[in-house]
Amino acid sequence: MPDAYALVLHSHLPYVRGAGRWPHGEEWVHEAILGTYLPLLVLLHDLRAEGVPYRITIGLTPTLIEQLADPDIRTRFLAYADDQIRRAELDAWDFGMAGASARQAVAESYRGSYQRLKQAFVERFGRDLVGAFADLARTGEIEILTSAATHGYLPLLDARSVEAQLRVGLASTRRLTGLEPTGIWLPECAYKPGLERALERHGFTHFFTDSALMRGREVGRAAKPFRSKRAERWSGAGAAVAVVDDTEPLIDPTVDLFRPYLVADSAVAAVSRHPEISGQVWSAAQGYPGDPFYREFHRKDDRSGLRYWRVTDTTVDLGNKAEYLIPAAAARVREHARHFCASVREELATHRETTGRDGMLVTTFDSELFGHWWFEGIDWLGLVLRELGDIASTVAERLEAQPPRERVALAEGSWGKNNDHTTWLAPQTQWMWDGIRSAASRIRAVADDPPSDAFRKRAADQALRELLLLESSDWPFLVTTGQAGDYATERFRSHAQRLERSLGLAARGTGADQVELRSLERADNTFPDARIEDFAEAG
C-alpha cells in the first residue's frame, strides 16, 4: 500500500460550566472557542468547499462537547466575543492616536478576525459547533474520536468506574454527534494492561499511545482478529468486518512505530505517535511555536488583555519582548509548514527504504495548541493539510484498508512526565484519590440495589454524574502542575459535596425535596444519558 500520514488532534477542556470566570472557570471554554475551535472549523469547512482532499482525525471529549452544546455557554460566549471585539476596537483607536502603527495593525487584525468568527458562529454554524464537526465527519474529511466521559484517568480508577466512564462517554458522543465512533482517545494516553478488554467490550477498534509504552515484548497468540467496524451488538446493525489471518508472525522485539499493533489478546489496535516529528510542533523550546517571530502568549496588554508582543527569545523576560509583526510571523508560518511537510515525506521514504514496508506516520497534538497557545498554528495547519492531502488519511480509514496483524504488549504508563502516573498521582493529590475510591464504593452499593422510587432514582443518577465529574483527570493535573491548584481543589470538593447531597436524597428523599434535587441537576447539568445502572458490573 502507499504510505500515509495521519494528523490527530485531541480536544479537551475541564468541566467548568458556570464555575467561575477569569482567571479560572468557564472563560476557558469561551477562549478556546474563539481561539481554537471556531478558527479550526472555519478552516476545515473552507478547505472542503474548495475541494482540498484533506483528512484529519479529531478527538472531542464528551466533557468538551457537552459544554459546547450547552445553551448557557453558547449565550455567554457571544457576550465574551463582543467584549473581545470592543477591546480590540479601543486598542486600535488608542494605538492609532499614539502613532503605534505596528500595534494598531495587530489590534485591527484582532477586531476583524473576532467579528468574522462571531458571524461564522451565528450564521454559518448556527451556534452548533458539535454539529459543524459532525458534518465534516459525515462527508469523510474527519474522523471523530470519543473519550472517557469526564476524561477520567482510567488506570487509577476501579473497574466499575472505567465501565461507566466508557459507557457514558460513548452515549454522549452518539447523542450529540449522531455518529458511531470506533476510535477512542484514552485520557492522557494512560494505559494499564487489561484496559484493552474494556475497550473491546464497548466496540472500540483503536486507541492512541505514547511511543515509549510500545516496548516490543512478544505476546502469545490470540484468536481475535481486528474488526474494522463495530460488532453488531454495539452498532445495532450488521456491519462488515475485516478479518485477518491470525497465523501471521508475532512482532519482532523492535517495534515499528509506523505500524499499528493489536494489543495483547484483544481485537483492539494501538497507534503510536512519531515522537520526533510531533515534537517539532508541540515543543515551545525546540519546536515551531518558540520561533522569535511568533506571538508571545504569556504577555498581555495591561488594560485590554490582548497580546501585542512576539516570542523574541524564550529566555527573554516578558518585559523585554519585542513588538509582534504580522508579516514576519506569516513568513515563518510558510517556512515551517514547508519544513514539516518535507520532514513527514522524508521520514516515510526512509522507513520504506529501511524496512521495505509501507507505513503510517502519526502525529498527535492537543487541539488547543493551534490558535490559542500557538496563535499562528491554524494558518500552519491549513498549509500542511493542503500540501499533504495526497497521503493524508484518517486512522480509521487506514486500519480498514490495512488491518493490523501483529501484536504487542504495551507497558503501563501515560504520555505525561516520565511516562508514568505521577503527574496525577502525587503526595499532594493522594487525598483526591482516597475520596474517589470512597465515593465509588458508595455508588457501587446504590447501583447494586437501585431505588425503585422515581424521585430517588433521579437522585441516584445525579450522584453518578457527580462521581464522574469527581473522577476528572483535570483536578489532580491542575494541582500537581501548579496551574490552578486552589481552583481545582475547590472544584473537587464541590463535586464531592454535591455527590453527598445526591446520595442522601437517593436514600431518603421525598417529593418535598424537589427543589434541592433540581438545584443539584441545574448546577451540573450534563450527561443526561448517565444512569445509576451504568455503574453495574462489566459484561
Side-chain angles (χ1 to χ4, degrees), residues 501-537:
R501 291 168 60 193
S502 299
L503 283 176
L505 294 176
R508 38 186 190 277
T510 67
D513 298 309
Q514 286 283 354
V515 172
E516 182 176 7
L517 180 55
R518 285 174 184 160
S519 72
L520 291 168
E521 291 171 334
R522 284 195 298 269
D524 290 323
N525 182 22
T526 190
F527 299 115
D529 312 283
R531 299 291 183 268
I532 191 65
E533 293 83 359
D534 291 318
F535 210 73
E537 293 280 5

Side-chain angles (χ1 to χ4, degrees), residues 6-9 44 54-60 133-134 136-146 179-185 204-208 228 271 360 393-399:
L7 197 161
V8 182
L9 300 181
L44 297 181
Y54 74 90
R55 293 291 186 270
I56 187 171
T57 299
I58 301 180
L60 300 170
F133 279 114
L136 293 167
R138 292 189 186 96
T139 55
E141 280 74 24
I142 74 172
E143 171 195 355
I144 289 181
L145 309 171
T146 187
L179 302 171
E180 191 70 30
T182 57
I184 184 169
W185 183 275
F204 293 112
T205 64
H206 56 286
F207 66 95
F208 298 81
S228 62
V271 180
M360 175 176 66
S393 174
T394 67
V395 174
E397 284 177 331
R398 182 69 174 189
L399 293 177

Side-chain angles (χ1 to χ4, degrees), residues 11 15 50 102 115 164 222 273 281 328 339 373 406 412 432-433 435 446 483 502 529 538:
S11 315
Y15 185 73
E50 294 175 30
Q115 287 178 332
R273 65 174 174 173
V281 179
H339 177 265
W373 293 101
E406 301 160 315
E412 181 168 346
M432 290 181 163
W433 295 104
V446 178
Q483 294 182 16
S502 299
D529 312 283

Side-chain angles (χ1 to χ4, degrees), residues 8 23 75 101 109 114-115 129 146 152 168 178 218 233 256 264 269 272 302 315 335 376 396-397 454 480 482 527:
V8 182
T75 299
S101 58
S109 177
Y114 295 159
Q115 287 178 332
L129 300 188
T146 187
V168 176
E218 291 186 358
R233 63 174 291 203
D256 183 349
S272 173
D302 292 338
T315 63
E335 291 178 26
E376 301 80 7
E397 284 177 331
T480 57
F527 299 115

Side-chain angles (χ1 to χ4, degrees), residues 327-346:
R332 297 300 288 157
V333 168
R334 293 189 291 271
E335 291 178 26
H336 286 148
R338 286 193 295 269
H339 177 265
F340 181 83
C341 293
S343 297
V344 168
R345 293 186 186 278
E346 289 170 7

Side-chain angles (χ1 to χ4, degrees), residues 194-236:
L195 185 53
E196 69 281 352
R197 298 189 186 95
L199 300 182
E200 188 175 58
R201 282 195 297 273
H202 289 273
F204 293 112
T205 64
H206 56 286
F207 66 95
F208 298 81
T209 187
D210 193 90
S211 58
L213 305 186
M214 298 189 78
R215 296 177 179 171
R217 182 167 62 84
E218 291 186 358
V219 298
R221 295 185 184 279
K224 295 176 182 175
F226 176 77
R227 293 178 177 271
S228 62
K229 299 185 184 301
R230 287 183 172 274
E232 183 173 353
R233 63 174 291 203
W234 298 109
S235 66

